[in-house]
Amino acid sequence: MARLVGTVSRGIRLPIIREKDDVESIVVNSVVEASKDEDWGFKVRDKDIICITEAVVARAQGNYATTDDIAKDVKAKLGGETIGVIFPILSRNRFAICLRGIAAGAKKIVLMLSYPSDEVGNHLIDLDKVDEMGVDPFKDVLSLEKYRELFGYEKHRFTGVDYVDYYQNLIEESGAECEIIFANNPREILKYTDKVLACDIHTLPRTKRILRDAGAETVLGLDDILSSSVDGSGYNPDFGLLGSNKATEETIKLFPIDGQELVEGIQKKIKDITGKTVEVMVYGDGCFKDPVGEIWEFADPVVAPFYTKGLEGTPNELKIKYLADNDFGDMEGDALKEAIKGEIEKKDADLVGKMASEGTTPRRLTDLIGSLSDLTSGSGDKGTPVVYIQGYFDNYTTE
């Protein structure tokens, strides 16, 4: 009988991970035991994929820091006086606790918020309202007073939080004076201070370049804060505070470090136990846009910081519906099936620019697989921080 099942994505339940836990052994044992489950089991196959959420890796590493650690690093690197903090995302989990530490390391914070939304799509105000008020987000700079006059006290549609008020209170509670402006041109902050901390994520290199070219004395990004340990704190040499999450009201969990050895170790242990070569990756946020809230859902600096070599590259796929409608539009039934299989079997190793591949997803494998894993594991109480994927590299010809 022909195979009827394609890609399968399974959440794998793990024990609650604590600092110094052996994640490598826990993941391997959990996958192997899950494969033997009487009702939900599966056979481990070559080219299966084990995906581990970055949170359990960082927790086991103990990669944590406090707001005091952030404050000390900010003060040392930016002088502790007036600091421009620009383009933060609107997030209680991702940025609020970082802001608490940043503010504790300065006498005054000039907070510059992008509008109508932040970089990942959290809206301060509705774009239609911006148009209605005759405001040009590309040119107009708004003071807090002007913003309130035009737009009032808007609350986030999902969280119910007025982030302008929330961030202002956080800064002042941390002991710093606060001034808030709204602008989308990073150069505007230089009218207030020449010491700037850029807090955007994926546009960060451009923001830094613009500020330096405009004559800023000191330009840092969140990736430069806690890029090394402060008094024994956690750190991330590549991403600093980027990718961090709130752990408690005074601590953050940073993005994991040194994970390449972990993914390769898991791959080796599974090979030793099962004789099969699986691929392994550590993943953070997937990358997809919510159609209602318009949130991009990508607050980590990368989807997959660590992965085995078999996950490098991009898909190389033909579009079946294109073949069915064009090349074989006069065929049907088994003849059509066999003709399409034949095209897949003889496809070029590189289909870039070929019409028959038009419309296939032009993204890296790690980004696609990480997004699938993020949707499978969820962000709440599913308790499945490992995702086991089968059949991802199969196609219509695979039996």
Side-chain angles (χ1 to χ4, degrees):
M1 181 177 179
R3 176 175 160 184
L4 298 177
V5 177
T7 301
V8 176
S9 178
R10 293 180 174 88
I12 304 295
R13 291 180 177 171
L14 259 64
I16 304 300
I17 301 297
R18 294 294 190 187
E19 186 173 349
K20 297 183 180 179
D21 280 350
D22 182 355
V23 171
E24 183 177 307
S25 295
I26 290 171
V27 169
V28 170
N29 293 339
S30 296
V31 167
V32 171
E33 288 305 308
S35 73
K36 299 175 182 176
D37 187 279
E38 184 176 339
D39 297 314
W40 298 86
F42 50 89
K43 292 182 179 179
V44 176
R45 296 181 173 91
D46 289 324
K47 299 297 287 183
D48 288 354
I49 311 168
I50 298 174
C51 305
I52 309 126
T53 183
E54 58 83 20
V56 300
V57 179
R59 289 180 71 187
Q61 291 174 343
N63 202 17
Y64 291 84
T66 67
T67 52
D68 287 342
D69 297 327
I70 296 172
K72 186 171 183 177
D73 208 25
V74 167
K75 187 172 183 179
K77 292 175 177 176
L78 287 151
E81 297 295 324
T82 299
I83 298 172
V85 174
I86 73 170
F87 300 158
I89 64 172
L90 307 175
S91 172
R92 295 168 296 175
N93 175 45
R94 289 288 193 167
F95 185 71
I97 191 163
C98 294
L99 181 59
R100 192 186 300 276
I102 293 164
K107 290 183 179 178
K108 179 178 179 178
I109 296 293
V110 181
L111 181 66
M112 191 170 93
L113 299 173
S114 56
Y115 75 98
S117 68
D118 69 9
E119 177 190 0
V120 298
N122 290 295
H123 275 71
L124 279 173
I125 43 180
D126 187 88
L127 186 56
D128 290 332
K129 188 71 176 291
V130 173
D131 294 339
E132 180 185 331
M133 293 299 174
V135 174
D136 184 348
F138 295 102
K139 296 191 300 185
D140 293 340
V141 180
L142 307 177
S143 65
L144 178 58
E145 293 72 25
K146 188 63 177 179
Y147 171 85
R148 292 300 191 196
E149 176 189 330
L150 291 171
F151 304 112
Y153 289 78
E154 293 282 339
K155 293 184 178 180
H156 191 280
R157 65 185 303 170
F158 289 140
T159 65
V161 173
D162 178 344
Y163 278 96
V164 178
D165 188 56
Y166 179 51
Y167 280 0
Q168 181 177 13
N169 288 337
L170 277 179
I171 292 168
E172 292 173 348
E173 288 169 2
S174 299
E177 182 185 348
C178 178
E179 182 173 359
I180 299 178
I181 60 172
F182 303 81
N184 292 309
N185 184 341
R187 299 175 187 86
E188 292 295 334
I189 196 66
L190 300 181
K191 296 175 181 177
Y192 300 83
T193 177
D194 60 5
K195 291 181 172 58
V196 185
L197 179 62
C199 300
D200 43 345
I201 305 165
H202 309 291
T203 54
L204 181 58
R206 178 177 183 269
T207 300
K208 285 182 173 181
R209 173 179 57 77
I210 289 172
L211 288 167
R212 288 176 182 136
D213 290 348
E217 179 181 333
T218 305
V219 179
L220 298 178
L222 286 182
D223 58 333
D224 298 305
I225 306 302
L226 292 188
S227 55
S228 58
S229 180
V230 173
D231 297 334
S233 74
Y235 67 99
N236 191 299
D238 299 310
F239 302 120
L241 287 178
L242 292 178
S244 63
N245 291 82
K246 177 180 177 179
T248 72
E249 293 301 325
E250 300 295 334
T251 60
I252 59 167
K253 176 196 66 59
L254 290 105
F255 218 46
I257 58 175
D258 301 330
Q260 195 60 35
E261 183 178 342
L262 170 69
V263 296
E264 291 174 1
I266 291 172
Q267 184 181 55
K268 183 179 184 305
K269 283 187 176 179
I270 292 291
K271 178 76 170 181
D272 291 342
I273 294 169
T274 68
K276 305 298 182 180
T277 300
V278 302
E279 303 298 338
V280 186
M281 64 183 277
V282 174
Y283 70 95
D285 277 346
C287 188
F288 40 81
K289 186 173 182 178
D290 175 64
V292 177
E294 299 182 2
I295 301 169
W296 191 19
E297 214 45 73
F298 187 25
D300 284 328
V302 294
V303 172
F306 311 106
Y307 51 88
T308 50
K309 290 182 179 180
L311 297 177
E312 293 176 349
T314 59
N316 190 57
E317 300 174 340
L318 294 173
K319 198 78 167 179
I320 287 179
K321 64 183 181 182
Y322 177 88
L323 295 173
D325 291 342
N326 290 273
D327 296 42
F328 309 116
D330 59 345
M331 300 174 68
E332 58 183 47
D334 287 342
L336 174 60
K337 178 180 178 180
E338 292 306 314
I340 289 177
K341 280 188 173 183
E343 287 298 302
I344 294 172
E345 287 170 345
K346 69 180 185 181
K347 67 184 178 181
D348 294 338
D350 184 359
L351 293 169
V352 173
K354 301 294 178 62
M355 186 60 71
S357 69
E358 185 176 287
T360 56
T361 308
R363 292 169 62 184
R364 294 183 302 179
L365 288 168
T366 50
D367 295 337
L368 290 164
I369 295 165
S371 297
L372 172 60
S373 299
D374 193 19
L375 288 167
T376 301
S377 62
S379 58
D381 57 8
K382 292 184 182 298
T384 55
V386 166
V387 175
Y388 196 85
I389 300 172
Q390 294 186 294
Y392 193 85
F393 295 102
D394 295 350
N395 60 41
Y396 193 51
T397 69
T398 307
E399 296 295 342

